[in-house]
Amino acid sequence: MEPFPDHFMEFHPIHGTNVRLDNSGTQATRVESFANGVCFSKHPLKPGEIFLIEIEDKELGWCGHLRIGLTTRDPRGLEVVPEYSIPNLTDLGDSWVFAITRNHNKIIEDPGVQEAAEGGLAGGQRLGRGEVEDGAGGEGKAGGAGNSMNPKTFFTDSHLYIENFRIPRDKLVGRSRPGRYSHILDDLYKTNTLPPTARRSRIGVLYVPKGRDLADMHIVINGEDMGASAKGIPTIQPLYAVVDVFAATKCVRIVQVEYGFSSLQTLCRKAIQKHIVHRMAIDWLELPEALKHFCMYE
């Protein structure tokens, strides 16, 4: 199912006071402290459309990591951008934001877990079985989960399927920086062996319609669907993506996902990568520097 044509994703010009965006509006860096790093998508998401970011840089000395989710609150209507996505933004209501932990973040369906009044999980809960991390903005309790992904399926499937939507897996998986062991590290990203909060990890959020004017929110980490992290989200109002560049997460970049026909640049990259042993070999090819960079980093 192809729900929409490709379009360029950007961060909203309204964001936390400690955030600086680059000229393209696709890179968000927290320039000081550990808070006031809340960002939004520039436009509301469509059903099945993923807002995908990559962790580009981290900062030692802080506890806690990236938070991501959805909100019905138009950033232009905020008197001030909340200092924290959890609990400040979620306490305003109509926002569902989750903290990404160092451990696996898979959601396990538990009939014993009481859901929110509207049928969904309350905003601001923790995903997965990650250990409790100190940090301002209070995170929820840990749950239990395990990595049930079949690696064989991952390597052979070209798309990630969530309900009736399919997302090209090509851009969903993190990639290490080019180096001697890149070919080994890349496989660790693919099988979610590395922590979700590692540099170069790719984390996305989307929603899937479930009945009339309701939807489930899904978080995707390095190509793996973590399950419905929030259920029964009302879709009467537009839903914006929320990314909180919090604490140990210093800088994130939006990764553009191609749903339709691949661009010529992407086709060139796939052809080149198909005929090399690992990405270090790209440096030896007689190619334009811009194309080399695209092949090595995407």
Side-chain angles (χ1 to χ4, degrees):
M1 183 175 182
E2 308 296 348
F4 34 77
D6 296 333
H7 67 271
F8 194 72
M9 289 279 193
E10 299 174 68
F11 285 113
H12 203 288
I14 296 174
H15 49 70
T17 55
N18 284 336
V19 169
R20 297 293 180 270
L21 301 182
D22 69 348
N23 292 332
S24 69
T26 63
Q27 185 187 66
T29 304
R30 194 187 68 253
V31 293
E32 61 182 44
S33 184
F34 61 93
N36 284 302
V38 177
C39 303
F40 306 92
S41 58
K42 187 172 183 179
H43 302 289
L45 301 184
K46 298 180 177 66
E49 182 178 32
I50 190 169
F51 191 82
L52 182 66
I53 60 97
E54 180 181 283
I55 298 176
E56 285 215 322
D57 197 11
K58 300 181 68 176
E59 186 173 23
L60 299 177
W62 301 115
C63 293
H65 299 275
L66 180 84
R67 288 114 180 250
I68 193 166
L70 298 171
T71 183
T72 62
R73 296 188 171 271
D74 188 330
R76 296 171 297 181
L78 295 172
E79 292 184 9
V80 61
V81 177
E83 184 176 9
Y84 306 105
S85 59
I86 306 172
N88 302 53
L89 179 62
T90 54
D91 281 353
L92 295 176
D94 299 324
S95 298
W96 301 265
V97 183
F98 288 75
I100 303 301
T101 70
R102 286 188 292 267
N103 290 334
H104 200 58
N105 289 254
K106 189 84 171 181
I107 292 294
I108 293 282
E109 293 293 339
D110 185 355
V113 175
Q114 184 175 2
E115 296 181 346
E118 295 80 11
L121 297 174
Q125 296 188 29
R126 175 190 297 278
L127 291 175
R129 63 162 188 250
E131 68 277 13
V132 174
E133 297 168 319
D134 296 329
E139 298 175 1
K141 296 181 179 179
N147 190 341
S148 59
M149 166 177 280
N150 183 343
K152 293 181 180 178
T153 301
F154 183 94
F155 287 113
T156 56
D157 282 356
S158 60
H159 289 75
L160 172 66
Y161 293 87
I162 302 178
E163 300 290 340
N164 294 326
F165 297 98
R166 63 174 193 167
I167 306 168
R169 203 184 286 276
D170 179 51
K171 292 291 188 73
L172 296 182
V173 186
R175 294 171 66 80
S176 64
R177 293 190 179 277
R180 180 179 299 177
Y181 302 107
S182 291
H183 58 297
I184 299 174
L185 289 172
D186 288 348
D187 285 345
L188 297 182
Y189 283 107
K190 289 179 180 178
T191 54
N192 262 331
T193 303
L194 293 176
T197 57
R199 283 186 181 88
R200 313 292 288 175
S201 278
R202 294 186 177 182
I203 302 169
V205 63
L206 70 152
Y207 69 93
V208 176
K210 300 288 286 188
R212 184 177 180 180
D213 297 329
L214 293 174
D216 290 352
M217 181 178 81
H218 287 250
I219 291 175
V220 176
I221 298 178
N222 288 319
E224 183 180 0
D225 176 22
M226 297 293 109
S229 51
K231 297 182 177 181
I233 293 175
T235 57
I236 299 174
Q237 296 176 285
L239 286 164
Y240 293 82
V242 179
V243 176
D244 191 350
V245 188
F246 176 72
T249 303
K250 176 74 171 177
C251 177
V252 299
R253 173 179 65 90
I254 297 175
V255 179
Q256 308 297 332
V257 177
E258 297 173 332
Y259 294 88
F261 293 106
S262 298
S263 66
L264 179 59
Q265 190 179 41
T266 297
L267 292 173
C268 288
R269 173 174 58 82
K270 288 182 177 180
I272 293 168
Q273 291 176 342
K274 184 179 179 180
H275 293 89
I276 59 174
V277 177
H278 57 83
R279 283 181 290 155
M280 283 298 290
I282 293 175
D283 269 338
W284 307 331
L285 302 177
E286 295 183 2
L287 296 172
E289 287 301 318
L291 184 55
K292 283 185 180 181
H293 185 275
F294 182 70
C295 289
M296 290 191 290
Y297 284 84
E298 289 294 331

